[in-house]
Amino acid sequence: MVTITDISKACGVSRATVSKALNGASDVSPETTKRVRETAAALGYLPNATARALKMGRSYNVGVLFSDTTGGGISHEYFSRILESVKAEAERLGYDITFISKDLGRLSMDYYEHAKYRSCDGVVIASADFQDPAVIRLATSEIPTVTLDYSFDSRSSILSDNVRGMEELVRFVHAKGHRKIAFIHGELTSVTQKRLASFRRTCAELGIPVPAEYVRPAVYHDPRSSGLATRALLALEERPTCILFPDDLSYLGGMSELERNGLSVPKDMSVAGYDGIPLSQVLRPRLTTYQQGAEQMGKEAARLLIEQIEKPDTWIPQQITVEGRLLEGSTVIDIG
Amino acid sequence: MVTITDISKACGVSRATVSKALNGASDVSPETTKRVRETAAALGYLPNATARALKMGRSYNVGVLFSDTTGGGISHEYFSRILESVKAEAERLGYDITFISKDLGRLSMDYYEHAKYRSCDGVVIASADFQDPAVIRLATSEIPTVTLDYSFDSRSSILSDNVRGMEELVRFVHAKGHRKIAFIHGELTSVTQKRLASFRRTCAELGIPVPAEYVRPAVYHDPRSSGLATRALLALEERPTCILFPDDLSYLGGMSELERNGLSVPKDMSVAGYDGIPLSQVLRPRLTTYQQGAEQMGKEAARLLIEQIEKPDTWIPQQITVEGRLLEGSTVIDIG
DNA sequence: TTGTATGCGTTATCAT
DNA sequence: ATGATAACGCATACAA
């Protein structure tokens, strides 16, 4: 490993001067700077991020928390798209990313401890159980954080517009003449509560009744549970004419249940998903769904976090809402 | 931040003793060890991975290279499953993972330089262009590496069994009576070459002719290109009775093309995918496909890499082949 | 058994 | 404009 000491010897200057020259300090002569940089390049010098971090108290490394409650977190398209864009934006700004987790080998630590252990300059909290004390500890610590789809007090967050998304879906379905709309929702997280409230409110505004049996619980990203919920809806005396699923993937469970009952989409039953993952648009018929701006959310999260890291004095907590858009698809038939 | 110095003051012993006690050295009295550890816990001490790494020359941090040629790498289910399992196994063994990329902020470096910059103890190379000089430099450097789905000389690698997978698929289809089998393949990577060779060899063994026009190029994970290839196959005078797609996702492109032509699967056309992602088993009819052992591949990759890191003297390069399994599904009809 | 001294590679302060 | 020196937090060879 070639260090600044090697360069200093090769150039016949002190290590301090080398360091300054490499970092473009103004108090070193242009000639020396040039000479130092050239030999650095010639020797194949690379700064050592570890030593730098130790000295400066800044690691240029941000943690990403992806504790998937439902199992398989990263492998859900929505989250992997967010991860991908967080990564891209962080790297663009000169930061590496490291995963934060509980229990590293024999070391047993919580998220906060893990982040400190790795000297993360900040953490993006995505896909976590926000009731978990370990998550709360991290989010209320002195470590800069940005959360996705959840807001902690006095902290920055990126929110997908669940209220608007659900409202748009309901209004779209309503405009197609539907009055019996069922909603299969995911676990009762804050996201779910927003969608549920928006569903009920929009229906109320449109004068659509929402029988209790039209609202059924399921599990996000779990086609099986949505399939069961679909079966329950089909067993009702008064079937809905349209079913809203918790997410696009879950619709697949409903889809097979519908087929098993000889119902074809959208002729016999209209449906809509949520997320707008690529899969939804490659299905036939194309799924009606609300596409969340995952890429933009990840990008904004990284941007906001790093802004907070680099300008802690002028920083104020911010809630950024990222709007998505309705993908009309062809799974909602006009029964007007 | 509480350091060993704080503990040493609180305990009235030297920092060296604290360090030893914390690391369970045998040359420190049980009483002192106990006292040191208790005050460490009381003070909320956390080891500083950065300082430790600088001193020991070991970061307990492994890099993961996910340069997606086709764009969107992580977000493909196959790769995100691998990432997930690499992460899980590495963490189990006490290692964190960091993404390795080109160009970090203004710093312009290649993969090797990035890995050195972050003092990675090793790198898992997944989903990369193995012809890229930057990838080759990393894989032939002194940094321990494990590659997935590609072998460099004298390096460890984890291989999915593409030869066997393709052979099983072809034999299955053949057993169902098919003699006109088309193969839409992905970009010509080493993986593709293996599948292609296995396809041709197995067909030859079974006495099935493979007309040139039955082998069509497309792009992995790109439904559109597979859709076009499907269209070309349907335009042939002598249509195949079965089409093998490059991967499960790509089949969706073929699926809609088939539907557009009024062909139903498997009645009018048999099909099979590759990968065995969850989506494939939730489609109706369930897709016939070959499920790659992504989880096991990721786990083995992490295990092998860390073994090499921790026992460099007794280590020898290893190629581990992870077998998958045929998922029969219902998209290949029996025309025997 | 415990403590002293040193260095990992870097940056920052303060002389020169 | 340049250099000597110290410090970041930790682990270790060696002395006591």
Side-chain angles (χ1 to χ4, degrees):
Chain A
M1 161 167 262
V2 32
T3 72
I4 52 170
T5 305
D6 299 318
I7 302 178
S8 78
K9 282 176 187 161
C11 286
V13 295
S14 75
R15 298 180 321 183
T17 305
V18 172
S19 177
K20 288 178 192 169
L22 255 24
N23 294 316
S26 58
D27 63 343
V28 50
S29 75
E31 302 81 43
T32 314
T33 300
K34 184 159 175 287
R35 191 156 44 94
V36 165
R37 291 195 170 165
E38 282 172 358
T39 54
L43 265 47
Y45 167 79
L46 280 175
N48 182 317
T50 304
R52 203 192 212 114
L54 181 59
K55 178 63 185 166
M56 301 204 298
R58 281 284 306 283
S59 63
Y60 287 92
N61 190 53
V62 301
V64 177
L65 179 46
F66 254 104
S67 89
D68 39 18
T69 31
T70 74
I74 302 172
S75 43
H76 289 310
E77 221 163 328
Y78 174 61
F79 292 120
S80 55
R81 273 162 67 210
I82 287 180
L83 172 60
E84 181 90 34
S85 55
V86 167
K87 170 175 181 285
E89 180 70 0
E91 282 172 356
R92 201 181 65 76
L93 298 172
Y95 287 72
D96 275 311
I97 78 179
T98 294
F99 285 111
I100 294 303
S101 58
K102 291 177 174 175
D103 298 328
L104 193 64
R106 337 176 305 290
L107 272 16
S108 154
M109 27 189 181
D110 64 18
Y111 300 126
Y112 170 75
E113 291 166 346
H114 192 165
K116 293 288 275 187
Y117 172 70
R118 278 294 172 194
S119 309
C120 292
D121 292 336
V123 179
V124 172
I125 306 180
S127 169
D129 173 5
F130 296 102
Q131 309 307 320
D132 183 345
V135 173
I136 294 175
R137 181 182 184 199
L138 173 62
T140 56
S141 74
E142 82 285 4
I143 300 177
T145 57
V146 170
T147 52
L148 273 83
D149 271 334
Y150 187 89
S151 285
F152 283 102
D153 183 56
S154 304
R155 301 257 113 188
S156 288
S157 56
I158 312 292
L159 304 168
S160 58
D161 199 346
N162 289 291
V163 171
R164 187 162 176 277
M166 183 50 78
E167 178 175 348
E168 282 204 29
L169 274 176
V170 172
R171 287 190 184 278
F172 177 78
V173 169
H174 174 265
K176 291 281 191 179
H178 293 265
R179 297 299 179 267
K180 298 188 221 164
I181 308 173
F183 178 30
I184 301 176
H185 61 79
E187 310 92 294
L188 283 177
T189 62
S190 62
V191 166
T192 309
Q193 277 156 3
K194 280 178 194 155
R195 291 190 195 164
L196 203 43
S198 179
F199 171 73
R200 290 213 159 94
R201 195 182 67 188
T202 309
C203 284
E205 286 175 10
L206 295 170
I208 306 176
V210 179
E213 61 270 24
Y214 275 17
V215 177
R216 317 222 57 120
V219 175
Y220 284 118
H221 307 296
D222 176 35
R224 216 187 107 272
S225 69
S226 277
L228 292 176
T230 303
R231 181 179 305 177
L233 288 171
L234 296 181
L236 294 177
E237 286 206 11
E238 185 120 21
R239 282 186 182 173
T241 61
C242 180
I243 302 177
L244 306 181
F245 286 87
D247 56 87
D248 296 345
L249 196 65
S250 294
Y251 160 61
L252 296 174
M255 183 176 83
S256 49
E257 186 64 29
L258 290 169
E259 284 179 10
R260 192 168 304 139
N261 284 269
L263 302 177
S264 101
V265 172
K267 194 166 59 69
D268 307 314
M269 179 65 78
S270 291
V271 299
Y274 209 100
D275 280 352
I277 62 178
L279 160 66
S280 70
Q281 298 312 296
V282 87
L283 289 175
R284 291 298 174 273
R286 288 230 315 269
L287 185 59
T288 297
T289 186
Y290 190 80
Q291 181 175 46
Q292 306 206 63
E295 283 77 12
Q296 200 195 335
M297 289 179 67
K299 179 176 176 175
E300 294 285 352
R303 195 182 58 72
L304 224 55
L305 181 67
I306 291 169
E307 182 181 311
Q308 176 179 356
I309 291 169
E310 301 192 336
K311 302 190 175 66
D313 40 346
T314 70
W315 168 84
I316 47 170
Q318 234 180 111
Q319 274 72 45
I320 293 186
T321 298
V322 174
E323 288 188 5
R325 64 198 181 96
L326 184 75
L327 299 182
E328 295 206 1
S330 346
T331 53
V332 176
I333 204 171
D334 195 326
I335 60 175
Chain B
M1 160 167 260
V2 34
T3 72
I4 51 170
T5 305
D6 300 319
I7 303 178
S8 79
K9 281 176 187 159
C11 287
V13 295
S14 75
R15 301 181 331 193
T17 306
V18 172
S19 176
K20 290 178 191 169
L22 255 24
N23 293 318
S26 58
D27 64 344
V28 49
S29 75
E31 301 81 40
T32 316
T33 301
K34 185 159 174 287
R35 192 156 44 93
V36 166
R37 291 195 172 166
E38 281 172 357
T39 53
L43 265 49
Y45 168 80
L46 280 175
N48 182 317
T50 303
R52 202 192 213 111
L54 181 58
K55 178 64 186 165
M56 303 204 297
R58 280 283 307 283
S59 64
Y60 287 92
N61 191 51
V62 301
V64 177
L65 179 47
F66 253 103
S67 88
D68 38 21
T69 31
T70 72
I74 301 173
S75 43
H76 289 311
E77 220 162 330
Y78 174 61
F79 292 120
S80 56
R81 273 162 68 208
I82 287 179
L83 172 59
E84 181 89 35
S85 55
V86 166
K87 170 175 180 284
E89 180 70 1
E91 283 172 355
R92 201 181 65 76
L93 298 173
Y95 287 72
D96 276 311
I97 77 179
T98 294
F99 285 111
I100 294 302
S101 58
K102 291 178 174 171
D103 299 327
L104 194 65
R106 335 176 306 290
L107 272 14
S108 153
M109 29 189 182
D110 63 17
Y111 300 126
Y112 170 76
E113 291 166 345
H114 192 165
K116 294 288 275 188
Y117 172 69
R118 279 293 173 195
S119 309
C120 292
D121 292 336
V123 178
V124 173
I125 305 180
S127 168
D129 173 5
F130 296 102
Q131 309 306 321
D132 183 344
V135 173
I136 295 175
R137 181 182 185 200
L138 173 62
T140 55
S141 73
E142 81 285 3
I143 299 177
T145 57
V146 170
T147 51
L148 273 82
D149 272 333
Y150 187 89
S151 285
F152 284 101
D153 183 55
S154 304
R155 301 258 115 188
S156 288
S157 57
I158 312 292
L159 304 168
S160 57
D161 200 346
N162 288 291
V163 171
R164 187 161 176 279
M166 184 49 79
E167 178 176 347
E168 282 204 29
L169 273 176
V170 172
R171 289 192 183 276
F172 176 78
V173 169
H174 173 266
K176 292 281 192 180
H178 293 265
R179 296 298 179 268
K180 299 187 219 164
I181 308 173
F183 178 31
I184 300 175
H185 60 79
E187 310 92 295
L188 284 177
T189 62
S190 63
V191 166
T192 309
Q193 278 157 3
K194 280 178 192 154
R195 291 190 196 164
L196 204 43
S198 179
F199 172 74
R200 290 213 159 92
R201 196 182 65 188
T202 308
C203 284
E205 286 175 10
L206 294 170
I208 306 176
V210 179
E213 61 270 24
Y214 274 17
V215 177
R216 319 222 58 120
V219 175
Y220 284 118
H221 307 297
D222 176 36
R224 215 187 109 272
S225 68
S226 278
L228 292 176
T230 303
R231 183 179 304 175
L233 288 171
L234 296 180
L236 293 177
E237 286 205 13
E238 185 121 22
R239 281 185 182 174
T241 61
C242 179
I243 303 176
L244 306 182
F245 286 87
D247 55 87
D248 296 346
L249 195 65
S250 293
Y251 159 61
L252 296 175
M255 186 176 81
S256 49
E257 187 63 29
L258 289 170
E259 283 180 11
R260 191 168 306 139
N261 283 269
L263 302 177
S264 102
V265 172
K267 193 165 59 70
D268 308 314
M269 180 64 78
S270 291
V271 299
Y274 208 101
D275 280 352
I277 62 178
L279 160 67
S280 69
Q281 297 313 294
V282 87
L283 288 175
R284 290 299 173 274
R286 288 229 317 268
L287 185 60
T288 297
T289 186
Y290 190 79
Q291 182 175 47
Q292 305 208 63
E295 283 76 12
Q296 200 194 335
M297 289 180 68
K299 179 176 176 175
E300 294 285 352
R303 196 182 59 71
L304 224 56
L305 181 66
I306 291 169
E307 183 181 311
Q308 176 179 357
I309 290 169
E310 301 192 337
K311 303 191 176 64
D313 40 346
T314 69
W315 168 84
I316 47 172
Q318 236 180 108
Q319 273 71 46
I320 293 187
T321 298
V322 174
E323 288 189 4
R325 64 200 180 95
L326 184 75
L327 299 182
E328 294 206 0
S330 346
T331 54
V332 177
I333 204 171
D334 195 327
I335 60 174

